[in-house]
């Protein structure tokens, strides 16, 4: 079952603008990750935030996590046309039969216009 | 996609036919996963394996089978029992261990697109 719900489903912006995508989840997690998928390709890991962290940065990416609201956001600053892709959040657990598994959201399709 | 090779890139299945999708990794990862992705959708877990000779059903295992005879290989068979096999199939792998188990970052292949003739 898909735990993550991403919002918006699609986002269209101009180059140089910031893009914000949100993810909500339902159960307790150990970590939350964001992945990127170019059209017709596999997913690539972008960033991981642990359940005891509130914010994390990596280059032009900023991720926040609010465990009380069971939500996360991914901010891409100064977007480029090359950022056009689908972005997925994935939640991870380490306990019991969930060991190592990730549960992916439905994804946000980001289009950055030159 | 580095380190995980999926083949073929495109595959066509005739009605009543079983087809096998290949997934090979040279990352020395213990765990491997198969996902199905339908257009505009997220990933759904079909099967996963955390160690050689052991595998577990995911959320949508019906109509699929797997084997894990070697650490580097995790082939997926789409059987004739899977009535709607048209989808994009993704294989992934991850490290499993005491130090890294809190991360479970997955590395993906480039995918196989399966269509029905």
């Amino acid at each position: 079952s898909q735990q993550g719900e991403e919002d918006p489903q699609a986002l269209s912006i101009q180059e140089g603008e910031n893009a914000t995508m949100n993810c909500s989840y339902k159960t307790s997690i150990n970590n939350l990750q964001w992945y990127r998928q170019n059209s017709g390709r596999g997913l690539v890991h972008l960033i991981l935030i642990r359940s005891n962290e509130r914010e994390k940065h990596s280059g032009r990416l900023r991720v926040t996590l609010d465990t009380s609201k069971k939500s996360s956001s991914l901010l891409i600053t100064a977007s480029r046309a090359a950022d056009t892709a689908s972005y997925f959040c994935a939640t991870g657990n380490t306990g019991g039969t969930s060991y190592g598994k990730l549960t992916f959201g439905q994804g946000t399709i980001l289009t950055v216009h030159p | 996609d580095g380190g995980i090779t999926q083949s073929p890139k495109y595959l066509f299945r005739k009605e009543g036919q079983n087809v096998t999708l290949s997934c090979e990794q040279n990352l020395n990862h213990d765990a491997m996963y198969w996902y199905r992705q339908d257009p505009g959708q997220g990933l759904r877990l079909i099967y996963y394996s955390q160690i050689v000779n052991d595998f577990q059903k995911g959320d949508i295992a019906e109509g699929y089978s797997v084997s894990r005879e070697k650490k580097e290989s995790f082939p997926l068979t789409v059987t004739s029992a899977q009535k709607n096999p048209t989808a994009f199939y993704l294989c992934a792998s991850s490290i499993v261990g005491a130090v890294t188990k809190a991360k479970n970052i997955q590395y993906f292949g480039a995918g196989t697109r399966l269509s029905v003739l």
Side-chain angles (χ1 to χ4, degrees), chain B:
Chain B
D1 305 335
I4 299 183
T5 302
Q6 288 188 241
S7 62
K9 190 172 178 68
Y10 299 96
L11 186 58
F12 297 91
R13 192 191 90 166
K14 295 179 182 177
E15 193 169 336
Q17 185 182 43
N18 292 353
V19 292
T20 297
L21 285 61
S22 170
C23 179
E24 304 276 332
Q25 54 102 356
N26 62 5
L27 301 170
N28 200 33
H29 286 173
D30 295 297
M32 297 186 75
Y33 312 82
W34 274 106
Y35 295 93
R36 170 179 172 141
Q37 185 177 31
D38 292 284
Q41 300 292 313
L43 278 65
R44 292 186 290 169
L45 183 65
I46 304 172
Y47 269 99
Y48 65 103
S49 168
Q50 294 170 348
I51 195 170
V52 174
N53 292 324
D54 186 55
F55 49 83
Q56 307 294 328
K57 292 182 179 180
D59 300 316
I60 55 165
E62 186 174 349
Y64 301 96
S65 66
V66 293
S67 63
R68 186 88 187 276
E69 296 176 1
K70 298 185 296 183
K71 187 175 185 178
E72 59 269 24
S73 179
F74 191 40
L76 172 74
T77 296
V78 184
T79 74
S80 56
Q82 174 48 249
K83 298 306 180 188
N84 183 23
T86 298
F88 190 51
Y89 291 86
L90 286 161
C91 178
S93 69
S94 68
I95 298 172
V96 174
V99 175
T100 58
K101 71 175 185 178
K103 292 189 175 181
N104 57 0
I105 293 171
Q106 293 186 10
Y107 298 82
F108 285 80
T112 292
R113 191 166 298 281
L114 175 62
S115 302
V116 176
L117 289 175

Side-chain angles (χ1 to χ4, degrees), chain A residues 34-85:
Chain A
W34 286 89
Y35 288 79
R36 167 192 168 129
Q37 183 182 35
N38 286 1
S39 182
R41 305 289 292 172
L43 278 69
V44 175
H45 174 81
L46 293 175
I47 193 166
L48 177 150
I49 186 166
R50 297 181 192 273
S51 59
N52 61 354
E53 297 175 315
R54 292 296 166 257
E55 187 170 311
K56 201 157 184 184
H57 296 255
S58 176
R60 293 184 296 112
L61 305 180
R62 173 179 168 249
V63 171
T64 61
L65 179 64
D66 186 337
T67 53
S68 67
K69 295 181 179 179
K70 291 187 168 60
S71 68
S72 172
S73 68
L74 171 68
L75 168 68
I76 303 174
T77 60
S79 63
R80 306 165 181 168
D83 294 329
T84 294

Side-chain angles (χ1 to χ4, degrees), chain A residues 1-7 22-33 65 67 69-72 88-94 98 101-107, chain B residues 35 41-45 59 104:
Chain A
S1 60
Q2 295 294 324
Q3 164 159 250
E5 296 282 338
E6 271 133 311
D7 162 53
N22 302 296
C23 169
S24 61
Y25 57 92
K26 297 173 184 170
T27 63
S28 296
I29 63 171
N30 175 274
N31 65 73
L32 187 143
Q33 304 177 34
L65 179 64
T67 53
K69 295 181 179 179
K70 291 187 168 60
S71 68
S72 172
F88 294 89
C89 68
T91 52
N93 291 289
T94 58
S98 297
K101 289 169 56 180
L102 292 176
T103 303
F104 286 84
Q106 303 296 317
Chain B
Y35 295 93
Q41 300 292 313
L43 278 65
R44 292 186 290 169
L45 183 65
D59 300 316
N104 57 0

Side-chain angles (χ1 to χ4, degrees), chain A residues 12-25:
Chain A
S12 181
I13 59 174
Q14 294 295 129
E15 218 169 21
E17 295 180 340
N18 295 343
T20 300
M21 289 159 267
N22 302 296
C23 169
S24 61
Y25 57 92

